Each structure stands twice: as C-alpha cells, then as structure tokens.
C-alpha cells in the first residue's frame, strides 16, 4: 500500500510568469488603426470647439468689460484690452492643461495653474456681470438687487468655456490611454508579422542549405566513384604495360645474347684477318694521314677565301637592297596616301548622296502613307454612309458590294435564329477597331453614330471599340503597321481602279 501523496507547498514570493498576450489578427490591427484615426479626429474636433468657444466668449464679453472699464474712467482705447488679456490667459491655461493631459496620462496641474485658471475665469465673469450684480452702482458683499437674467446671460459663455476645457481634459486622458492600448495592439501585430517573416526566411535558408549539402554530397559521391573507376583503369593499364615491357625485355635479352655470340665469332675472325693486315694498314694510314692533312689545309684556305668573297658580295647586295626598299616604300606611301584621300572623298560624296536619297524616299513614303490613311478613312466614312442607307432601304440586310469597311455582315439576333456567331462578332469588333484606328492615324474624326447603326450596336459597344482601338495602337505590336498596310492596299487598289477607268 503506497503512502498518500502530500501536496507540495507553494514557495512564497515566487514571481508568476505573465501570460503571453493573445495573438493579434490583421482585422484587429486594421480596426486599431481606424480607431486611432477616429480618436485623432475627435481630439482635433474638441480642440477646435474649445478654441472656437474661447474666441466667441472673448468677443461676447469684450463689450461689457470695455464698458465696465470706461465707466471707471479708463480711456476706451485702453479699456478694450482688459477682457482679451484675461480671456487669453484663461484660454491658454485651459488649452495647455488639456494638451499636457493628452500627452501624459499622469499629468495633474499644480497650484499656480489652478490659481491662474480661476483668477482669469472669475475676473472675466465678475467684470462681465458687474452691472447685473450691482445695477445701482453700490457695492455690497451680498448683492441687494441683482439682475438674474443679466447674470445668467453673461455667465453662460465663461461657464461653457471652463466646463468644456475640463471635459476636454478628461477626453484627452481617455483618448491618450486608449491610443496607447491600440498602438500596443498594432505593435504586437507588426512584431508578429516580422517574426513570422523571419521564421519563413529562416526555414527557407535552412531548406536551401540542406539542398546545397545534399547536392555537395551527391557531387562528392560521384567524384569519389569517378576517381575510384579511374584508379582501377589506371592500375589495369599499368599492369598491362608492365607485362608488355617484361616480354619485350626478355625478348631483347634473348636477341642481345644471340647477337653478342655472333659478334664474338665475327670479331674473332676479323681479329685474325686484322692481325695480318696490320702492318699494311699502318703504312697506308701514315701516308693517307699526310695527304689528308695537306688537303685539309688547302681546303680550309679555299673555304676562308670564298667566305670572305661571299661576305663582301653580300654586304654590297644588302646596301643596294636597302636603298631600293627605301625608295619603293616612299613611293608606296605616297600612292597609298593619294588613294586614301580619293577614297575618302568618294565615300563622303556617296554618303551625302545616299542620305539625301534616303530622306527623299522617307518623305515620299510618309506622304504616301498620310494620303492613303486619309483616303482610306474618307472612303470608310462614305462607305459607312452608303451602307447605312442601303441597310434602311433593304430592312437591315447589307449587300455584298456596299458593306462598310469589309464584307462582315451586320447580323442581328433575329436574322441568325436568335444568336450571332462568335466569329462574326469578333470580326465585326476587329473591323470597327481598325476603322477607328485609321481615322485616328489620319487625323479624321470617326462617325461613331453611323458605325453603331451599321452593326446594329449601341453607344456602349461603340465606346468599347474606341477604347479598344486606342489600347491596341498603344500596346499591340504590329497593329499600327497592319492598319497602315491596309490603308496602303486600299490606296493602291484605288489607284489601279482609277488607272483602269482612265
């Protein structure tokens, strides 16, 4: 039987680990940002209201205080300054207390701000309400016949200003505290995003390092296998080469032994014959050596003389060849310089001529394209007008020879059993866009109303075609050249028709 488990007492003074803050979602962060913006708007509105009310109270109380000063023998041009001074002091202390409370939640005004606030407020109120408190002009500690309506009337503006400033301080404290909480939420969200991004980058780096390590190991294994294979092949080649060399060495030893034996036999025979001819050879040798020595000395002298003659002739030839080469070089340089100058002049003339011809051709081509575009747009406009007229006469059916811009029929849903084929719709759109592009390139305004009537479309479809044509001219490669080429083809066809008619 096991002993009962005794619970361990908690250690006194052990600090508790604070619970981690709850995760913040993107929606929470967005809501926090919106709340901060709203708080800023509210604080700005409170500040504007406070300043507006202060300015209004200053204007409202200035007249009574000025009259109060004039009644006490103060010149009017000095008496009017008293109320603005007191009111500005009151507005300043109220506004500063509110702003400091906004920027520091634990700010509490001291004695001097309190004294300044109440002194300015009470002095403004008393001067403004003096004639209502003592209408008879005699001071009593307790007013005898006060004007209650006047006191109420002249107390409203200062009271509202002081109360709004005190309320604004509370508003700013709450907004500051709430703004701090919302800022902490946004900071936690941003920190979570940064941590998540760093974790993702770390995982990506670790994955890349693992892949690199795997690739390095694979490369090292392949290199090791290749080295082992090469070593085996080298060892095999070395063994075969050693065997071949050993065979050749043995064969050479056998041949050398046989040759040495034959040479020994032959040498013995020659030695015997040589012994017999030694004396004769010795005598012949001495005679031959003397003749050879004499002939050698004579040939040596002849060679030296011939060498001296050849050297002199060679030096003369070198001097002559150098003189001729120098003359030829100078002549060649003069001719080359003349030819170079002529070639440069001819090339410059050809270049100027080619540039002039190219500019003339370019101007002619531009003029031809402009004329072609203008004629194509004009023809398209006239063809569209005739097509609309024929369409109205023949109950909406276009003829083969009068279709505007091309042979694409302006089919409607009723003519095709309730639906226009997709190929026809695409061809109609392309044809209308090309017509608008031709008019835009040639500087002619397209007739959009007749274009819509031709295809039985409304303003929305025509507007879509105008935007599509502009977009294709700006973005589609080759569209502008295709439109110009179509216009040139129409221009050439018209020229050929005119030539045939003539």
């Amino acid at each position: 039987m096991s002993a009962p488990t005794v619970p361990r007492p908690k250690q006194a003074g052990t600090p508790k680990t604070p619970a981690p803050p709850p995760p913040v979602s993107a929606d929470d962060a967005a809501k926090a940002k919106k709340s901060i913006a709203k708080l800023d708007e509210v604080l700005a509105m409170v500040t504007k209201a406070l300043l507006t009310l202060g300015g209004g109270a200053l204007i409202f109380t200035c007249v009574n205080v000025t009259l109060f000063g004039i009644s006490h023998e103060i010149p009017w041009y000095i008496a009017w300054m008293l109320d603005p001074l007191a009111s500005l002091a009151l507005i300043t202390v109220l506004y500063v207390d509110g702003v400091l409370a906004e920027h520091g939640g634990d700010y509490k005004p001291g004695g001097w701000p309190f004294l300044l606030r109440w002194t300015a407020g009470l002095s403004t109120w008393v001067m403004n309400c003096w004639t209502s408190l003592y209408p008879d002009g005699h001071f009593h500690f307790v007013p005898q016949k006060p004007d209650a309506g006047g006191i109420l009337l002249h107390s409203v503006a200062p009271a509202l200003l002081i109360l709004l400033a005190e309320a604004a301080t509370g508003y700013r404290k709450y907004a500051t505290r709430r703004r701090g909480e919302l800022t902490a939420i946004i900071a936690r969200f941003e920190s979570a995003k940064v941590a998540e991004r760093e974790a993702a980058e770390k995982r990506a780096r670790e994955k890349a390092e693992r892949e690199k390590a795997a690739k390095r190991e694979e490369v090292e294994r392949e290199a090791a296998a290749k080295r082992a294979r090469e070593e085996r092949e080298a060892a095999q080649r070395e063994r075969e080469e050693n065997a071949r060399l050993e065979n050749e060495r043995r064969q050479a030893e056998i041949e050398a032994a046989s040759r040495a034996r034959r040479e020994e036999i032959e040498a013995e025979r020659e030695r015997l014959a040589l012994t017999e001819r030694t004396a004769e050879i010795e005598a012949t040798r001495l005679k031959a050596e003397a003749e050879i020595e004499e002939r050698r000395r004579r040939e040596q002298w002849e060679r030296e003389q011939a060498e001296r003659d050849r050297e002199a002739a060679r030096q003369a030839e070198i001097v002559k060849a150098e003189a001729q080469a120098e003359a030829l070089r100078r002549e060649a340089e003069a001719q080359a310089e003349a030819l170079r100058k002529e070639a440069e002049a001819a090339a410059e003339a050809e270049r100027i001529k080619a540039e002039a011809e190219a500019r003339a051709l370019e101007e002619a081509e531009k003029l031809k394209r402009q004329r072609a575009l203008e004629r194509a747009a004009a023809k398209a406009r006239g063809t569209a007008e005739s097509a609309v007229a024929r369409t109205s006469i023949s109950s909406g059916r276009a003829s083969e020879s009068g279709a505007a811009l091309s042979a694409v029929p302006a089919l409607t849903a009723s003519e095709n059993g309730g639906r226009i084929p997709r190929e026809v719709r695409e061809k109609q759109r392309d044809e209308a866009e090309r017509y608008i592009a031709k008019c835009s390139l040639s500087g002619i305004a397209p007739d959009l109303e007749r274009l819509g009537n031709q295809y039985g479309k409304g303003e929305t479809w025509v507007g879509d075609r105008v935007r599509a044509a502009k977009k294709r001219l700006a973005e589609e490669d080759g569209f502008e050249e295709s439109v110009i080429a179509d216009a040139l083809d129409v221009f050439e066809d018209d020229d050929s028709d005119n030539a045939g008619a003539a």
Side-chain angles (χ1 to χ4, degrees):
M1 184 175 181
S2 60
T5 302
V6 179
R8 298 177 62 185
K10 296 182 180 179
Q11 296 181 358
T14 302
K16 295 182 179 180
T17 303
V24 180
S25 64
D27 294 337
D28 295 338
K31 291 178 180 178
K33 291 180 180 179
K34 292 181 179 179
S35 299
I36 289 174
K38 192 66 177 178
L39 288 174
D40 292 338
E41 293 177 359
V42 170
L43 291 177
M45 182 184 68
V46 169
T47 301
K48 292 177 181 178
L50 181 61
L51 294 177
T52 303
L53 184 58
L58 172 63
I59 296 171
F60 180 80
T61 58
C62 184
V63 176
N64 287 337
V65 176
T66 302
L67 295 175
F68 175 75
I70 293 173
S71 66
H72 288 76
E73 299 179 355
I74 298 175
W76 68 268
Y77 52 85
I78 297 176
W80 73 269
M81 299 173 60
L82 182 59
D83 183 72
L85 291 175
S87 297
L88 287 176
L90 178 60
I91 294 172
T92 301
V93 69
L94 294 177
Y95 180 76
V96 170
D97 286 345
V99 172
L100 292 179
E102 177 185 351
H103 288 278
D106 56 349
Y107 170 76
K108 293 181 180 180
W112 288 108
F114 176 82
L115 181 62
L116 175 61
R117 181 166 62 248
W118 283 102
T119 300
L122 289 176
S123 61
T124 302
W125 177 77
V126 170
M127 287 187 295
N128 195 36
C129 297
W130 184 266
T131 56
S132 298
L133 290 170
Y134 305 103
D136 55 356
H138 298 285
F139 174 77
H140 301 281
F141 186 78
V142 177
Q144 298 298 320
K145 297 179 180 180
D147 184 5
I151 294 172
L152 177 63
L153 178 66
H154 296 300
S155 300
V156 171
L160 288 178
L161 178 60
I162 295 173
L163 293 176
L164 178 60
E166 295 294 339
T169 301
Y171 295 155
R172 286 192 174 93
K173 288 182 179 180
Y174 172 79
T176 302
R177 184 175 66 256
R178 183 58 181 164
R179 184 186 178 92
E181 295 173 357
L182 295 174
T183 304
I185 291 174
I186 295 173
R188 289 204 306 273
F189 175 72
E190 296 294 338
S191 301
K193 285 180 61 178
V194 171
E196 183 178 356
R197 184 168 60 252
E198 291 177 353
E201 292 176 354
K202 183 178 179 181
R203 289 194 299 270
R205 287 196 300 272
E206 291 176 354
K207 182 178 179 181
E209 290 175 357
R210 288 195 299 270
E211 291 177 355
K212 288 181 180 179
K215 289 181 179 179
R216 282 198 301 271
E217 291 177 359
E218 182 67 22
V219 171
E220 289 176 357
R221 285 196 299 270
E222 292 178 356
K226 184 177 180 180
R227 286 195 301 271
R229 187 169 60 254
E230 291 176 352
E231 289 175 357
R232 289 194 300 271
E233 293 175 356
Q236 181 66 23
R237 288 194 299 271
E238 185 177 1
R239 287 193 297 270
E240 293 175 356
E241 184 67 19
N242 291 335
R244 185 182 63 78
L245 293 175
E246 183 65 21
N247 293 332
E248 291 179 355
R249 186 182 61 78
R250 291 178 181 178
Q251 186 67 26
E253 288 177 354
I254 294 172
E255 291 177 358
S258 300
R259 189 168 54 254
R261 180 61 181 167
R262 289 195 300 270
E263 288 175 354
E264 288 177 356
I265 296 172
E266 189 67 22
E268 184 64 24
R269 292 177 181 174
E270 290 177 356
R271 187 180 62 78
L272 294 175
L274 186 60
T275 302
E276 296 175 351
R277 290 170 15 209
T278 301
E280 182 180 357
I281 292 173
E282 185 64 19
T284 305
R285 183 181 63 77
L286 293 174
K287 183 178 180 181
E289 286 179 357
E291 293 176 355
I292 290 170
E293 184 63 21
E294 181 66 23
R295 187 168 58 253
R296 186 183 63 78
R297 285 197 297 271
R298 186 171 59 254
E299 289 176 354
Q300 181 67 23
W301 181 83
E302 291 175 355
R303 282 196 302 273
E304 291 176 355
Q305 184 64 31
E307 185 65 23
R308 285 193 293 270
D309 296 339
R310 284 196 301 273
E311 182 64 19
R314 187 172 63 80
Q315 290 295 333
E317 291 292 336
I318 290 172
V319 172
K320 183 178 179 181
E322 288 178 351
Q324 293 177 354
E326 182 66 20
L328 291 174
R329 184 182 64 79
R330 292 178 180 176
E331 183 179 358
E333 287 179 353
Q335 293 178 355
E337 182 67 19
L339 291 174
R340 184 181 64 79
K341 291 181 178 179
E342 292 178 359
E344 288 179 352
E348 183 66 19
E350 289 294 331
R351 184 183 64 80
I352 294 172
K353 181 179 179 181
E355 288 179 352
E357 292 177 353
R359 284 195 296 270
L361 289 175
E362 185 178 359
E363 292 297 331
E365 186 66 22
K366 287 182 179 179
L367 182 60
K368 182 178 179 181
R369 288 186 177 184
Q370 185 65 25
R371 290 177 58 198
L373 288 172
E374 291 175 356
R375 293 187 60 183
K379 181 179 179 181
R381 180 182 298 174
T383 307
E385 294 175 357
S386 63
V388 170
R390 283 192 296 272
T391 302
S392 62
I393 293 172
S394 59
S395 300
R397 301 182 62 87
S399 64
E400 296 180 355
S401 61
L405 304 178
S406 73
V408 180
L411 294 177
T412 60
S414 61
E415 293 175 347
N416 197 34
R419 184 179 179 184
I420 300 176
R422 180 179 179 183
E423 295 79 4
V424 175
R425 293 199 304 271
E426 291 178 354
K427 196 166 184 182
Q428 287 177 350
R429 287 195 294 267
D430 181 71
E431 183 182 48
E433 290 168 5
R434 287 180 176 273
Y435 164 68
I436 295 169
K438 289 177 183 178
C439 293
S440 177
L441 291 174
S442 59
I444 299 174
D447 194 342
L448 301 180
E449 182 179 358
R450 285 196 172 92
L451 181 64
N453 293 333
Q454 177 189 356
Y455 294 103
K457 304 294 184 180
E459 294 181 357
T460 303
W461 185 85
V462 175
D464 292 340
R465 300 288 69 75
V466 173
R467 289 189 290 273
K470 293 181 179 179
K471 184 176 181 181
R472 292 180 69 180
L473 284 173
E475 299 178 359
E476 183 175 340
D477 294 335
F479 180 70
E480 182 177 351
E481 289 79 5
S482 176
V483 172
I484 294 173
D486 292 343
L488 291 175
D489 291 340
V490 173
F491 179 69
E492 291 173 358
D493 292 342
D494 292 342
D495 289 345
S496 62
D497 294 338
N498 294 334

